Amino acid sequence: MSVTKRILPSGTVTWRAKVFFERRVIAQRSFTRRVDAKRWEADQLARLDAGSWIDPTRGRITFAALAEQWQDSRGHLAVRSQETTRFLLDKYVLPEIGAFPISGISAADVERVMSALTARGLATATRRRALSMIRLVFDYAIRDRRLSVNVARMVSLPRGATKREPHWLRPEQLGRLVMAVPPLCQPVVLFLGTTGCRFSEMAALRVDDVVQTPHGLGVRVHRAATQSKRTSAAVFGPTKTHQTRTVPVPAALDEYVRTRVAFTTPGGYLFPSPSGGVWTNTNFRARSGWMEATRRAGVEGTTIHDLRHTAASLLIAAGADVKAVQVILGHSTATMTMDLYGHLFSEATWQAMEHLP
């Protein structure tokens, strides 16, 4: 029999349910009522038949231990992505539920974590990232057959202020900004503002990446030099989308690029820092005097990433279609390009307004 009666030394009667698989006990549990024991046994057998049975002992691992395994499984991702999740775990999540066994964590526990983050005054974006990360950890547990349900997905993502709208410069504003930074920084600003490459992609470019195509010079973008949040040093890795693309060199930079290729030894950076090494966001902002330069150019508040939006707006104004903008900017899909810049492709909204009485 799989449900047996037991009498404890105290005289208390309990019912022990055991689940057998291939002649061995794979789960057992005690109940004070026989009906509860039979019900639990039937549920476990039904899960076995359906192939969804989970070994209860595998759910005893703590959230902290499981999160560490999950973090280790993300070694193929960009350093910044790994550092971000590491920071969120250590700073905000593990102090709240790190010691809990994963099978004992409820949706209410996750909601308490989110409430604690709100009480600390964290931005909506940070709280959304934290919840998304918790969800991914539980997804990992399900794939590892430790859980059958992701309780974190029962908790809604926090709502708050909308994301900052893309901001771009007009051609004359970009020109003023280029002239406002030191000469060594001018090619960087012009390249970012006309090609839309990410700063980390620009920093990783070497003269070897310059290619001659039937249409003119191009640069092969296939790596990124991302600044580590932990050490502030540049860490080389794949591009954000793990894809390679060839970006045309703007006419305004044609002479600069040809000169760099002609007089730079193989392996040298196409856009070197003053020491000949790699730019990081921090040392470029310092060397360019970014805050003061944007003020002098009359575009105060402009970020380096806004140069990427500037390039997109200039490409669209020049007649580039969605696919061309997607490829040049390195978006993973044309849908993403349309989500960000779709309103720039169509004049329908403006034409409709012009026809109003």
Side-chain angles (χ1 to χ4, degrees):
M1 293 179 61
S2 55
V3 176
T4 56
K5 180 179 180 180
R6 300 177 63 195
I7 301 178
L8 303 180
S10 62
T12 302
V13 175
T14 63
W15 297 89
R16 173 70 106 188
K18 296 181 180 180
V19 179
F20 291 87
F21 181 72
E22 295 183 351
R23 298 184 179 181
R24 66 183 181 89
V25 177
I26 58 173
Q28 56 184 320
R29 187 172 170 184
S30 294
F31 298 85
T32 56
R33 301 192 309 166
R34 183 175 185 274
V35 64
D36 293 333
K38 295 293 291 184
R39 187 180 295 120
W40 179 82
E41 177 198 26
D43 178 64
Q44 300 303 303
L45 291 174
R47 294 186 183 208
L48 268 176
D49 291 340
S52 61
W53 184 82
I54 302 294
D55 184 348
T57 62
R58 291 180 59 76
R60 295 174 187 169
I61 186 174
T62 64
F63 184 88
L66 180 69
E68 196 65 38
Q69 293 182 14
W70 170 75
Q71 183 78 2
D72 291 342
S73 73
R74 291 163 52 86
H76 63 287
L77 297 181
V79 171
R80 284 290 287 271
S81 296
Q82 297 181 55
E83 290 182 342
T84 297
T85 54
R86 178 83 273 168
F87 173 79
L88 291 172
L89 279 170
D90 294 343
K91 184 74 173 179
Y92 303 124
V93 178
L94 296 185
E96 299 290 338
I97 58 173
F100 293 9
I102 58 170
S103 60
I105 296 176
S106 65
D109 292 323
V110 178
E111 287 175 341
R112 280 193 289 273
V113 174
M114 302 311 297
S115 296
L117 300 188
T118 302
R120 298 179 70 161
L122 297 182
T124 302
T126 302
R127 289 182 284 125
R128 289 176 70 92
R129 279 195 292 269
L131 178 55
S132 295
M133 182 192 61
I134 295 173
R135 289 176 171 181
L136 290 174
V137 173
F138 279 115
D139 283 343
Y140 178 79
I142 291 174
R143 292 196 302 274
D144 200 30
R145 299 193 60 79
R146 293 182 180 275
L147 293 175
S148 57
V149 177
N150 188 333
V151 296
R153 296 200 175 275
M154 302 176 186
V155 179
S156 300
L157 286 168
R159 295 182 179 182
T162 56
K163 291 179 64 176
R164 177 178 181 264
E165 286 293 320
H167 169 71
W168 52 81
L169 305 179
R170 297 188 300 275
E172 66 273 14
Q173 292 175 318
L174 176 61
R176 291 201 304 269
L177 181 57
V178 169
M179 299 308 297
V181 298
L184 184 66
C185 301
Q186 290 177 359
V188 172
V189 175
L190 187 56
F191 182 79
L192 295 176
T194 53
T195 67
C197 282
R198 300 175 179 89
F199 185 91
S200 60
E201 294 172 340
M202 174 281 303
L205 286 174
R206 301 176 187 269
V207 292
D208 313 66
D209 297 321
V210 178
V211 294
Q212 180 67 54
T213 75
H215 309 288
L217 282 184
V219 287
R220 184 169 170 266
V221 180
H222 60 103
R223 69 171 78 86
T226 308
Q227 184 173 5
S228 168
K229 290 183 178 181
R230 184 172 56 86
T231 66
S232 295
V235 179
F236 287 85
T239 62
K240 186 175 182 179
T241 57
H242 291 254
Q243 296 176 346
T244 297
R245 68 188 189 278
T246 298
V247 176
V249 172
L253 283 169
D254 188 90
E255 182 180 352
Y256 170 86
V257 171
R258 291 184 186 278
T259 302
R260 286 293 303 167
V261 171
F263 296 98
T264 305
T265 57
Y269 292 106
L270 186 59
F271 298 98
S273 69
S275 64
V278 60
W279 282 114
T280 65
N281 196 284
T282 299
N283 65 24
F284 181 78
R285 286 177 61 86
R287 178 65 65 165
S288 65
W290 185 259
M291 299 294 288
E292 178 60 21
T294 55
R295 188 190 64 77
R296 290 199 307 272
V299 292
E300 191 171 6
T302 298
T303 67
I304 294 176
H305 192 72
D306 286 336
L307 296 177
R308 181 167 165 81
H309 300 315
T310 297
S313 69
L314 295 178
L315 288 167
I316 294 168
D321 61 21
V322 177
K323 189 62 180 179
V325 176
Q326 176 207 341
V327 171
I328 293 174
L329 267 64
H331 286 157
S332 56
T333 64
T335 301
M336 180 179 180
T337 306
M338 285 300 295
D339 286 344
L340 285 171
Y341 308 114
H343 58 292
L344 296 179
F345 283 99
S346 174
E347 298 179 356
T349 52
W350 305 103
Q351 292 172 350
M353 188 63 72
E354 290 173 358
H355 286 88
L356 286 177

